[in-house]
């Protein structure tokens, strides 16, 4: 059944075809905005964090992950600077292990090798964030280790 365009913006569906995990500061107004348009035109029911009211607890994102069928994890150079991106990724990978969710990694201006490289800049930012916030570094590392082994897409930004 097609979603009604007349439904209230406060009424969100009980399930999603796609959950989009990404670093908003870096990608919201470029790659992700184009992705949203393409998903909408294709009639795909997707979830992105700006669909929530600003007063919602951020843990609602974990519920949205659990309600989804597919997660697009969009890795970019600033991804590991966000505890929320990494915490969402941990939840995504837990759902993948349970067989409740499929993940499609998208490597945007980073390679799978950079994501996996424990000594590289991508991981360095994660280590720095975990020291600042006292976060659970081991869970983040485990989630990042398993993602590059999944079939995904590697994209380079096109200027011109």
């Amino acid at each position: 059944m097609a979603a009604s365009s007349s439904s209230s913006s406060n009424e969100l569906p009980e399930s999603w075809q796609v959950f989009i995990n990404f670093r908003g500061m870096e990608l919201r107004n470029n790659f992700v905005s184009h992705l949203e348009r393409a998903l909408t035109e294709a009639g795909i029911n997707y979830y992105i964090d700006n669909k929530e009211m600003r007063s919602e607890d951020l843990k609602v994102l974990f519920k949205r992950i659990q309600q989804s069928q597919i997660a697009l994890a969009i890795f970019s150079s600033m991804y590991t600077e966000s505890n929320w991106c990494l915490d969402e990724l941990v939840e995504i990978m837990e759902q993948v292990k349970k067989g409740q969710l499929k993940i499609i990694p998208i490597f945007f201006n980073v390679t799978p090798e950079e994501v996996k490289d424990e000594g590289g800049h991508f991981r360095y930012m994660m280590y720095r964030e975990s020291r600042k916030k006292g976060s659970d570094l081991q869970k983040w590392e485990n989630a990042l280790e398993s993602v590059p082994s999944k079939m995904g897409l590697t994209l380079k930004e096109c200027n011109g």
Side-chain angles (χ1 to χ4, degrees):
M1 176 189 270
S4 168
S5 60
S6 64
S7 66
S8 165
S9 62
N10 292 339
E11 295 176 26
L12 295 176
E14 291 293 317
S15 66
W16 306 90
Q17 289 172 291
V18 176
F19 180 93
I20 304 173
N21 165 253
F22 67 102
R23 180 69 166 122
M25 172 189 284
E26 185 177 19
L27 298 177
R28 185 178 310 278
N29 295 320
N30 54 49
F31 176 73
V32 170
S33 64
H34 297 291
L35 176 62
E36 281 188 276
R37 190 173 327 118
L39 292 172
T40 299
E41 288 173 3
I44 295 173
N45 178 19
Y46 67 92
Y47 177 83
I48 188 168
D49 60 359
N50 63 6
K51 292 188 179 208
E52 293 296 341
M53 295 179 62
R54 290 290 172 215
S55 61
E56 286 290 336
D57 182 9
L58 289 175
K59 294 209 184 270
V60 75
L61 299 176
F62 298 148
K63 179 179 178 183
R64 303 299 181 224
I65 291 167
Q66 294 164 7
Q67 294 172 328
S68 300
Q69 297 169 17
I70 297 169
L72 298 179
I74 306 172
F75 298 100
S76 59
S77 62
M78 294 174 67
Y79 183 91
T80 54
E81 293 178 21
S82 167
N83 286 9
W84 274 105
C85 284
L86 292 162
D87 289 341
E88 286 176 12
L89 183 63
V90 168
E91 180 62 30
I92 288 167
M93 295 314 296
E94 287 177 8
Q95 296 304 312
V96 168
K97 285 179 191 169
K98 292 178 186 176
Q100 302 295 318
L101 183 70
K102 301 228 182 283
I103 184 171
I104 301 172
I106 299 173
F107 302 94
F108 187 81
N109 288 334
V110 296
T111 65
E113 293 75 23
E114 289 172 301
V115 171
K116 211 169 188 173
D117 180 10
E118 291 181 25
H121 178 74
F122 191 84
R123 292 288 185 102
Y124 169 76
M125 299 309 290
M126 178 182 71
Y127 298 134
R128 190 182 80 180
E129 284 301 303
S130 73
R131 279 196 302 268
K132 284 196 303 191
K133 308 243 168 58
S135 302
D136 192 345
L137 180 62
Q138 189 61 52
K139 285 184 179 180
W140 292 351
E141 286 180 330
N142 291 344
L144 281 173
E145 281 297 315
S146 55
V147 171
S149 65
K150 305 289 184 190
M151 290 187 66
L153 304 169
T154 302
L155 305 172
K156 294 262 183 218
E157 188 169 20
C158 296
N159 295 323

